[in-house]
């Protein structure tokens, strides 16, 4: 609870806060994000500039900047058109966000305790503890067992549906720290229509984490 309070307080007080997004990329030409993306990297095609391979990272970015209006973004594209991502790209994406001083790092991909430990080892404990990792719990309606290790700066987020209950697709269990409202199955997140130019419905635990 104290972690959540501190995150919310930080988003409200600090005009220069940076949120890292490790996802399918971002459309840097999106009119709502043009002045928000201060750093970007394409790890799928390293010789090319970043783009959004799945139209997933862009709505995530839009939700974040709609809610946290003072936030700026560091975005790493790690998933290709098939939604496939290599763990090496994920780790390099997180390192990129850390290098660009991201206070919060948002991750919408399968992420497990072993991955958190790998990131902690990769960054070193001191650097790891300087950042908050907000991770989508997943959309397969599975019970997530509690983590064996307590990470004070890692939060797994489930989804609440339009009826105020846990969404039918959302993973659940003691490993899920909180859940956020994302609307009904076909409704999507209301803020998404104001930040994604195609205005498609967008929900799931990814939207909840954002």
């Amino acid at each position: 609870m104290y972690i959540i309070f501190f995150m919310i307080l930080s988003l409200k007080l600090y005009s220069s806060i940076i949120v890292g997004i490790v996802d399918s990329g971002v459309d840097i030409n999106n009119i709502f994000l043009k002045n928000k993306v201060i750093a970007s990297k394409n790890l799928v095609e390293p010789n090319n500039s970043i783009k959004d391979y799945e139209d997933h990272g862009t709505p995530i970015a839009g939700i974040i900047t709609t809610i946290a209006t003072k936030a700026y973004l560091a975005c790493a594209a790690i998933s290709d058109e098939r939604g496939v991502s290599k763990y090496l790209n994920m780790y390099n994406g997180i390192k990129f966000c850390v290098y660009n001083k991201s206070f919060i790092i948002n991750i919408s991909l399968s992420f497990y305790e072993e991955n958190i430990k790998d990131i902690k080892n990769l960054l070193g404990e001191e650097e790891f503890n300087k950042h908050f990792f907000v991770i989508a719990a997943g959309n397969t309606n599975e019970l997530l067992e509690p983590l064996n290790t307590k990470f004070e700066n890692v939060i797994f987020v489930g989804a609440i549906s339009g009826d105020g209950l846990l969404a039918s697709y959302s993973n659940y269990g003691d490993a899920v720290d909180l859940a956020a409202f994302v609307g009904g199955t076909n409704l999507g997140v209301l803020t998404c229509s104001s930040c994604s130019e195609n205005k498609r419905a967008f929900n799931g635990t990814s939207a909840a984490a954002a």
Side-chain angles (χ1 to χ4, degrees):
M1 183 61 69
Y2 293 110
I3 293 174
I4 307 300
F5 172 77
F6 182 64
M7 288 171 62
I8 294 172
L9 184 65
S10 299
L11 288 170
K12 289 182 178 296
L13 293 181
Y14 296 104
S15 59
S16 60
I17 191 170
I18 299 171
V19 178
I21 301 176
V22 181
D23 211 291
S24 63
V26 66
D27 177 8
I28 57 177
N29 294 315
N30 182 294
I31 60 174
F32 299 103
L33 301 175
K34 274 186 176 180
N35 298 319
K36 291 293 186 178
V37 181
I38 62 169
S40 61
K41 189 174 184 66
N42 188 337
L43 291 164
V44 179
E45 299 175 296
N47 294 325
N48 296 329
S49 58
I50 197 169
K51 65 177 184 178
D52 191 344
Y53 287 88
E54 292 186 87
D55 192 27
H56 188 277
T58 300
I60 292 295
I63 293 168
I64 290 170
T65 54
T66 298
I67 296 171
T69 56
K70 295 181 179 180
Y72 292 91
L73 307 174
C75 302
I78 69 165
S79 302
D80 61 22
E81 291 91 343
R82 300 168 296 162
V84 176
S85 56
K86 300 176 182 177
Y87 278 112
L88 178 60
N89 284 351
M90 181 189 291
Y91 296 151
N92 285 333
I94 291 172
K95 285 174 62 179
F96 172 79
C97 293
V98 168
Y99 176 80
N100 284 282
K101 299 178 170 55
S102 300
F103 175 54
I104 296 171
I105 299 175
N106 180 279
I107 302 170
S108 297
L109 304 151
S110 297
F111 214 75
Y112 305 99
E113 185 171 357
E114 312 88 77
N115 304 125
I116 300 173
K117 290 179 178 178
D118 287 343
I119 291 299
K120 188 174 183 178
N121 291 333
L122 182 69
L123 299 178
E125 185 170 1
E126 183 178 357
E127 184 65 41
F128 174 80
N129 289 332
K130 292 179 181 178
H131 308 273
F132 287 109
F133 298 85
V134 182
I135 304 170
N139 304 321
T140 53
N141 188 30
E142 292 182 48
L143 172 64
L144 300 184
E145 298 294 340
L147 303 183
N148 294 312
T149 306
K150 180 67 175 176
F151 300 97
E152 296 289 346
N153 58 330
V154 178
I155 298 171
F156 284 90
V157 185
I160 298 293
S161 64
D163 56 10
L165 301 175
L166 192 70
S168 59
Y169 53 79
S170 179
N171 288 350
Y172 59 95
D174 289 342
V176 179
D177 298 285
L178 59 93
F181 176 77
V182 295
T185 304
N186 298 315
L187 179 60
V189 178
L190 297 179
T191 53
C192 187
S193 64
S194 67
C195 61
S196 181
E197 292 180 77
N198 61 11
K199 296 187 178 182
R200 68 183 176 87
F202 188 81
N203 52 22
T205 59
S206 293

